[in-house]
């Protein structure tokens, strides 16, 4: 076992079986939150099985060892704790929160769920039906339709193209045997990070993890190599007629992965453009011109190249002028220098929101575990803040000219309105 003491408030230990344990001692409240990350998620699915990891997350807490779904729920709720499983593009997550006195019991239960889920067939079918309902309902939500359309055209055969839920065909094709195989392949100690924050010392937390997980053996077979298709940039337009009163106008640009030097400048440009009521898009297109019901930009943090998106919800008759307005504002990033004061405001906003996002034990356990599972390391917490602070106007213009040129376009709305917008 190796232990590293960092300058950060996080204690990092690697167990003999490869589990990384992160502990942030915070005695302020009598609560402990934990996040158990697994290097799994949608990027580790076969394309024909898109939605598999979502189904696994839904069924995983419905039976383990000798416990039924009801017995698991009673164990958690009888002590006022919470426990849930979730999946994303880049990782799988088991989360829980409990009072300090019950931490050992709930961590032991989480360990059972993580290591020996039973995937009861009746629960698999129930959760499949619920997922299919979600997939169908999303087809009636204009923003979701536009976003789905954008992901598919931008990422083609890359897993980022697919919804976490997959589609009706792939969700129907996943079997219980597929869940078992996926679990056996990726849920192993050398592929796990356990991040803990709350009223517990690092020594106590690590000793408990060793007691509960130390006997978990690393399989003899190596982890499969993640061999993803190359993302080919071919900007194009996609239109989806939908009977709705408003149009969703979405522009997409292929950005950088989190480990790229361009990540921080792009994150800052996304904040400047579309984060909040003082953002450029909100002020120019909604406040001054009254074009948008909603307008925003977002650029998620991803292990592989992430999409930089700007979008607007606007009245059908404003579709063309709204599209022109969005395109103009993005194009200005490359041709017109952002003022030092505007850049500093964006920095203050992103760093302020970042600090506010680390207030609870759950948030602390989440962010450090997330950085660890992405391969960035726990020191990225400090590095991210330094990277944002160091971005110059010149840096911002350079990444805008590099990434934000020819956009992908996704339009959803009344057929006449969206067709005339690109005529």
């Amino acid at each position: 076992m190796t232990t590293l003491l960092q300058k950060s408030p996080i204690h990092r230990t690697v167990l003999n079986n490869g589990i990384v344990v992160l502990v942030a001692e915070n005695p302020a409240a009598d609560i402990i939150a934990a996040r158990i990350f697994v290097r799994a998620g949608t990027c580790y699915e076969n394309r024909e099985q898109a939605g598999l990891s979502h189904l696994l997350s839904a069924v995983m807490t419905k039976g383990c060892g000798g416990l039924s779904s009801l017995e698991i729920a009673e164990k958690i709720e009888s002590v006022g704790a919470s426990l849930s499983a979730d999946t994303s593009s880049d990782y799988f997550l088991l989360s829980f929160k409990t009072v300090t006195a019950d931490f050992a019991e709930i961590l032991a239960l989480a360990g059972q769920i993580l290591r020996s889920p039973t995937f009861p067939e009746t629960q698999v079918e129930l959760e499949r039906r619920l997922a299919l309902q979600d997939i169908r309902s999303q087809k009636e939500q204009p923003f979701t339709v536009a976003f789905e359309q954008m992901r598919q055209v931008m990422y083609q055969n890359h897993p980022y193209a697919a919804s976490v839920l997959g589609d009706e065909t792939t969700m129907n094709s996943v079997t219980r045997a597929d869940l078992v195989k996926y679990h056996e392949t990726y849920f192993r100690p050398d592929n796990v990070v356990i991040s803990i924050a709350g009223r517990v010392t690092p020594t106590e937390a690590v000793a408990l993890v060793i007691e509960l997980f130390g006997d978990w053996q690393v399989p003899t077979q190596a982890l499969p190599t993640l061999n993803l298709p190359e993302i080919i940039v071919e900007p194009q337009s996609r239109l989806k007629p939908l009977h709705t009163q408003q149009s969703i106008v979405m522009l997409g640009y292929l950005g950088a992965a989190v480990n790229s030097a361009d990540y921080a400048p792009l994150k800052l440009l996304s904040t400047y453009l579309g984060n909040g009521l003082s953002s450029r898009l909100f002020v120019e297109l909604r406040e001054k011109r009254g074009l948008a019901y909603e307008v925003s930009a977002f650029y998620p943090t991803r292990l592989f190249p992430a999409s930089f998106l700007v979008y607007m919800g606007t009245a059908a008759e404003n579709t063309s002028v709204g599209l022109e307005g969005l395109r103009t504002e993005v194009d200005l990033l490359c041709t017109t220098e952002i003022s030092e004061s505007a850049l500093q405001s964006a920095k203050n906003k992103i760093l302020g929101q970042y600090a506010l996002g680390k207030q609870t034990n759950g948030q602390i356990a989440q962010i450090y575990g997330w950085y660890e599972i992405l391969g960035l390391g726990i020191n990225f917490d400090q590095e991210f803040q330094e990277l944002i602070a160091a971005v110059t106007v010149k840096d911002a213009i350079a990444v805008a000219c590099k990434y934000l040129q020819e956009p992908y376009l996704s339009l959803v709305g009344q057929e006449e309105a969206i067709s005339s917008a690109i005529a």
Side-chain angles (χ1 to χ4, degrees):
M1 183 175 77
T2 58
T3 299
L4 298 172
L5 286 169
Q6 309 286 344
K7 292 178 183 176
S8 76
I10 304 299
H11 182 280
R12 181 181 186 273
T13 300
V14 184
L15 305 191
N16 292 334
N17 60 4
I19 293 177
V20 178
V21 185
L22 308 178
V23 186
E25 184 178 0
N26 179 15
D30 188 26
I31 291 170
I32 300 177
R35 300 286 188 269
I36 303 177
F37 289 85
V38 184
R39 287 183 189 86
T42 62
C43 278
Y44 300 79
E45 301 168 342
N46 296 326
R47 189 171 177 83
E48 309 77 53
Q49 296 179 328
L52 186 156
S53 59
H54 168 80
L55 189 57
L56 182 123
S57 72
V59 180
M60 206 169 176
T61 57
K62 301 300 194 298
C64 67
L67 299 174
S68 69
S69 176
L70 181 59
E71 287 168 330
I72 292 171
E74 285 176 343
K75 270 181 171 285
I76 297 163
E77 292 169 8
S78 66
V79 294
S82 62
L83 184 148
S84 62
D86 199 8
T87 194
S88 72
S89 301
D90 298 329
Y91 59 85
F92 182 96
L93 181 62
L94 190 65
S95 310
F96 71 85
K97 181 173 69 173
T98 179
V99 295
T100 306
D102 299 314
F103 176 61
E105 181 186 350
I106 300 301
L107 181 61
L109 177 61
Q112 280 186 282
I113 290 169
L114 187 75
R115 295 172 63 177
S116 54
T118 50
F119 304 125
E121 195 73 64
T122 54
Q123 294 291 339
V124 173
E125 292 312 313
L126 172 62
E127 295 300 335
R128 187 201 312 280
R129 286 201 303 273
L130 293 172
L132 288 168
Q133 286 175 19
D134 285 345
I135 290 167
R136 289 168 192 140
S137 71
Q138 287 184 357
K139 292 177 180 177
E140 299 169 6
Q141 300 165 19
F143 173 82
T144 307
V145 172
F147 187 36
E148 177 94 0
Q149 188 168 251
M150 177 62 79
R151 282 201 315 268
Q152 289 175 0
V153 69
M154 184 176 282
Y155 286 106
Q156 306 113 30
N157 296 317
H158 191 280
Y160 282 0
S163 162
V164 170
L165 293 169
D167 58 35
E168 289 188 62
T169 302
T170 60
M171 180 55 71
N172 270 315
S173 74
V174 176
T175 66
R176 181 185 178 278
D178 294 329
L179 299 180
V180 171
K181 184 180 178 184
Y182 184 92
H183 180 267
E184 286 176 349
T185 302
Y186 295 106
F187 286 66
R188 44 189 281 170
D190 56 343
N191 208 32
V192 168
V193 173
I194 301 178
S195 183
I196 300 164
R199 188 177 287 182
V200 62
T201 67
T203 303
E204 292 168 338
V206 171
L208 186 59
V209 172
I210 291 172
E211 179 186 332
L212 296 172
F213 295 86
D215 65 334
W216 196 4
Q217 298 295 309
V218 178
T220 52
Q221 69 269 29
L223 271 162
T225 303
L226 196 58
N227 187 20
L228 300 181
E230 183 184 355
I231 303 166
I232 301 165
V233 182
E234 295 177 351
Q236 50 192 284
S237 302
R238 286 287 173 89
L239 280 64
K240 178 72 174 179
L242 206 64
H243 187 65
T244 175
Q245 292 305 306
Q246 66 169 311
S247 296
I248 298 293
V249 180
M250 187 176 288
L251 302 180
Y253 307 82
L254 190 66
V258 65
N259 54 10
S260 165
D262 296 329
Y263 167 75
L266 281 170
K267 201 73 175 170
L268 203 51
L269 285 178
S270 172
T271 297
Y272 165 75
L273 268 185
N275 183 341
L277 307 185
S278 61
S279 66
R280 174 81 186 187
L281 294 178
F282 191 91
V283 171
E284 294 297 322
L285 301 181
R286 190 179 191 278
E287 294 296 282
K288 290 185 179 179
R289 298 179 64 185
L291 287 175
Y293 301 125
E294 57 176 334
V295 63
S296 189
F298 59 102
Y299 169 57
T301 300
R302 291 283 182 266
L303 196 53
F304 303 104
S307 52
F308 186 107
L309 301 178
V310 295
Y311 76 93
M312 171 194 291
T314 188
E317 63 270 20
N318 289 331
T319 306
S320 296
V321 68
L323 170 57
E324 182 187 344
L326 270 183
R327 183 73 197 267
T328 298
E329 292 301 332
V330 178
D331 288 348
L332 282 172
L333 295 175
C334 187
T335 58
T336 306
E337 198 167 283
I338 301 171
S339 70
E340 289 284 357
S341 61
L343 190 69
Q344 189 59 50
S345 293
K347 289 180 181 182
N348 295 344
K349 186 186 295 184
I350 199 170
L351 292 174
Q353 290 173 344
Y354 186 75
L356 290 172
K358 294 189 296 180
Q359 294 187 95
T360 68
N361 287 331
Q363 289 170 328
I364 293 166
Q366 174 74 29
I367 201 159
Y368 286 104
W370 181 43
Y371 288 157
E372 182 70 32
I373 205 73
L374 291 181
L376 301 167
I378 56 176
N379 290 328
F380 189 73
D381 172 56
Q382 185 60 38
E383 290 166 11
F384 171 72
Q385 297 172 74
E386 292 167 356
L387 288 168
I388 290 294
V391 175
T392 65
V393 169
K394 187 177 177 182
D395 295 333
I397 293 171
V399 298
C401 293
K402 181 177 178 181
Y403 293 93
L404 310 181
Q405 291 298 300
E406 289 299 317
Y408 291 86
L409 173 62
S410 177
L411 290 175
V412 173
Q414 296 175 18
E415 186 165 11
E416 185 180 344
I418 60 176
S419 297
S420 61
I422 62 166

